[in-house]
């Protein structure tokens, strides 16, 4: 079955450490996205990529970095510069045509202490 | 600025008690309105896309409708397994950005 795989499901890190969240898709979608979900708030866009080797900042990109070296993969690095990194992170993909839905992975819950 | 609000924030229903969830939006150039279901600790699961006012989509006990300013998700005779958070999102303009509402947390009691 086609889908999006995020790993790990849970991640614990100490303050000051960088951490990388994995996202792999086999839907053959060109566009991939990273969202952050906090309680009581809508999903907020961190970064998105419409094609390999190209990506754009979303609304809350500060303290995060991404790469898109392969169509299937879009890893997110949470750097030590991110002031409040504890959150639920969701990766999504889509066909980059207006009006087509996002398809989501099952998320990574990151806890930084 | 594109905005999406959802109401109520939380809703508790008895099994079989029908109700509706609201999604109000302000966007320039709607390209699509999307409904998702999200279970705790999981990613959102796509339910419906609506494109223009007057459009309706149905799936089992769920029916989504769209006007120029809002969308409703009607739940008919809900069951406990319908308990989840329901998210609404819009895509507007020419970019790839989606704007999400905060969701409605639905609990259906047996």
């Amino acid at each position: 079955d086609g889908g999006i795989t995020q790993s790990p499901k849970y991640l614990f890190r100490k303050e000051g450490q960088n951490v990388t969240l994995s996202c792999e898709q086999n839907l053959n979608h060109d566009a991939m996205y990273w969202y952050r979900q906090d309680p009581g708030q809508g999903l907020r866009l961190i970064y998105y990529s419409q094609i390999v080797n190209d990506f754009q900042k979303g609304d809350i990109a500060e303290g995060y970095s991404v790469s898109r070296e392969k169509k299937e993969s879009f890893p997110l690095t949470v750097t030590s510069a991110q002031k409040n990194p504890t959150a639920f992170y969701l990766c999504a993909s889509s066909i980059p045509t207006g009006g087509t839905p996002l398809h989501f992975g099952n998320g990574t819950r990151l806890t930084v202490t | 600025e594109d905005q999406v609000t959802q109401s109520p924030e939380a809703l508790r229903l008895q099994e079989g008690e029908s109700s509706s969830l609201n999604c109000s939006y302000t966007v320039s150039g709607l390209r699509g309105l999307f409904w998702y279901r999200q279970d705790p600790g999981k990613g959102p699961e796509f339910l419906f896309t609506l494109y223009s006012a007057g459009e309706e989509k149905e799936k089992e006990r769920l029916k989504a409708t769209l006007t120029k300013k809002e969308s409703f998700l009607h739940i008919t005779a809900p069951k406990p397994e319908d308990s989840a958070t329901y998210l609404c999102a819009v895509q507007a303009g020419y970019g790839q950005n989606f704007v999400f509402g905060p969701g409605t947390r639905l609990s259906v009691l047996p």
Side-chain angles (χ1 to χ4, degrees):
Chain A
D1 281 343
I4 299 176
T5 301
Q6 290 188 242
S7 61
K9 187 171 176 64
Y10 300 98
L11 194 50
F12 298 89
R13 280 293 183 269
K14 296 287 188 184
E15 244 183 62
Q17 293 179 335
N18 292 354
V19 60
T20 297
L21 283 59
S22 171
C23 177
E24 303 277 332
Q25 57 104 353
N26 60 5
L27 298 168
N28 200 33
H29 287 168
D30 286 311
M32 296 187 75
Y33 309 75
W34 276 104
Y35 285 90
R36 172 180 171 138
Q37 187 172 36
D38 295 285
Q41 297 192 42
L43 274 66
R44 293 183 290 167
L45 182 66
I46 304 172
Y47 270 97
Y48 69 98
S49 167
Q50 296 191 67
I51 197 168
V52 173
N53 291 324
D54 187 47
F55 46 83
Q56 284 76 44
K57 292 181 179 180
D59 301 319
I60 57 165
E62 185 176 348
Y64 299 98
S65 66
V66 293
S67 63
R68 187 86 187 275
E69 297 177 0
K70 298 186 300 181
K71 185 175 183 177
E72 303 80 16
S73 179
F74 192 41
L76 173 74
T77 296
V78 184
T79 76
S80 56
Q82 168 49 231
K83 294 179 181 178
N84 186 18
T86 295
F88 190 50
Y89 290 88
L90 287 161
C91 179
S93 71
S94 76
I95 299 169
T97 304
T100 56
L102 296 171
H103 298 268
F104 286 90
N106 272 328
T108 292
R109 185 165 299 281
L110 173 64
T111 303
V112 177
T113 57
Chain B
E1 183 182 340
D2 299 334
Q3 282 192 322
V4 177
T5 59
Q6 292 187 246
S7 63
E9 182 176 327
L11 181 63
R12 295 180 70 172
L13 299 173
Q14 289 297 134
E15 185 172 1
E17 180 187 1
S18 301
S19 188
S20 297
L21 313 182
N22 176 266
C23 170
S24 295
Y25 63 92
T26 53
V27 296
S28 303
L30 180 71
R31 301 170 82 192
L33 184 141
F34 307 89
W35 282 99
Y36 290 85
R37 170 195 169 121
Q38 186 175 23
D39 293 305
K42 299 280 185 70
E45 174 190 346
F46 170 68
L47 293 173
F48 304 110
T49 306
L50 301 166
Y51 295 103
S52 57
E55 191 175 358
E56 299 182 352
K57 294 271 180 76
E58 280 189 75
K59 180 180 178 180
E60 295 180 359
R61 295 177 292 282
L62 300 177
K63 179 179 173 181
T65 62
L66 182 65
T67 72
K68 288 188 177 179
K69 292 185 177 181
E70 56 192 351
S71 176
F72 292 92
L73 185 65
H74 307 278
I75 303 176
T76 302
K79 299 182 178 182
E81 53 262 42
D82 294 322
S83 298
T85 296
Y86 290 86
L87 304 176
C88 170
V90 297
Q91 188 185 30
Y94 295 98
Q96 286 300 312
N97 202 1
F98 294 73
V99 179
F100 282 82
T104 292
R105 192 169 63 255
L106 174 67
S107 301
V108 182
L109 307 176

